């Protein structure tokens, strides 16, 4: 399973209003529930905020990777938000966050969940990718830049064992 397969263009959101970590997670929860009939926005939000209580998903350099399991999520799905203004996300480096990559996975998707998180972290840990994403001026440009970065990382990854 690849990030490209779970991140369609309409889930790369440009210039999203921030305000606070809670508001960003509420925005995504409402957005994803409107576009995925099996998901309830309150449940998605509750799962994401519950995960944040365990420890911030702000990984540093202005990036957060909120993620959660959800019993009503039939297959992994992702969303990417470029915030209009950075927000405090209690990140490990104390820096505010403006790039948010959200992952939702089925309740039982252990290995898939970890593999997808590792892919996201690999993409978002690249300084050049973060700079390019921050320079984007449209939703389309944001999506294309993100997919290019994912493909570059996939090309650089060692082949999977048979």
């Amino acid at each position: 399973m690849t990030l490209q397969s779970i991140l369609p263009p309409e889930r790369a959101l440009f210039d999203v209003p921030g305000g606070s970590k809670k508001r960003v997670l509420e925005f995504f929860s409402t957005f994803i529930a409107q576009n995925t009939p099996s998901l309830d926005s309150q449940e998605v939000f509750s799962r994401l905020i519950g995960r944040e209580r365990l420890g911030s998903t702000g990984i540093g350099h202005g990036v957060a990777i909120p993620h959660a399991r959800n019993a009503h999520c039939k297959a992994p799905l992702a969303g990417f938000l470029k915030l209009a203004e950075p927000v405090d996300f209690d990140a490990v480096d104390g820096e505010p966050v403006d790039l948010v990559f959200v992952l939702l996975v089925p309740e039982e998707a252990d290995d898939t969940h970890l593999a997808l998180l590792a892919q996201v972290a690999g993409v978002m840990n690249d300084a050049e990718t973060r700079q390019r994403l921050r320079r984007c001026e449209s939703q389309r440009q944001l999506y294309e830049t993100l997919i290019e970065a994912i493909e570059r990382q996939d090309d650089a990854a060692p082949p999977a064992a048979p």
Side-chain angles (χ1 to χ4, degrees):
M1 173 149 307
T2 64
L3 290 177
Q4 298 99 302
S5 66
I6 65 170
L7 181 67
E10 63 273 13
R11 284 202 226 121
L13 305 176
F14 177 78
D15 218 17
V16 173
S20 68
K21 179 195 316 196
K22 182 179 178 220
R23 282 209 183 110
V24 169
L25 296 177
E26 283 173 340
F27 175 90
F28 177 79
S29 300
T30 300
F31 170 80
I32 202 66
Q34 288 171 344
N35 294 283
T36 312
S38 65
L39 297 179
D40 174 72
S41 65
Q42 282 304 107
E43 183 182 4
V44 171
F45 175 73
S46 176
R47 295 287 183 118
L48 289 170
I49 209 76
R51 171 58 190 85
E52 289 298 321
R53 286 188 187 111
L54 298 174
S56 176
T57 58
I59 64 168
H61 305 288
V63 175
I65 310 174
H67 55 279
R69 298 174 190 277
N70 186 302
H72 298 105
C73 188
K74 306 298 181 219
L77 57 86
F80 184 78
L81 294 75
K82 180 178 182 285
L83 304 181
E85 297 290 327
V87 300
D88 180 13
F89 226 86
D90 303 313
V92 294
D93 62 359
E95 293 296 316
V97 163
D98 63 339
L99 301 174
V100 182
F101 206 123
V102 189
L103 281 176
L104 294 178
V105 296
E107 198 73 51
E108 66 285 346
D110 293 333
D111 292 344
T112 301
H113 187 181
L114 297 176
L116 289 169
L117 277 173
Q119 284 181 51
V120 172
V123 169
M124 300 311 293
N125 276 328
D126 181 66
E128 181 185 335
T129 295
R130 292 190 307 269
Q131 287 176 342
R132 291 180 69 216
L133 290 168
R134 288 185 173 113
R135 286 194 301 261
C136 289
E137 296 182 5
S138 70
Q139 181 173 358
R140 179 180 178 154
Q141 186 183 21
L142 183 69
Y143 180 75
E144 289 172 356
T145 301
L146 189 56
I147 294 302
E148 286 171 16
I150 292 167
E151 289 171 349
R152 268 198 320 274
Q153 188 207 13
D154 289 349
D155 291 345

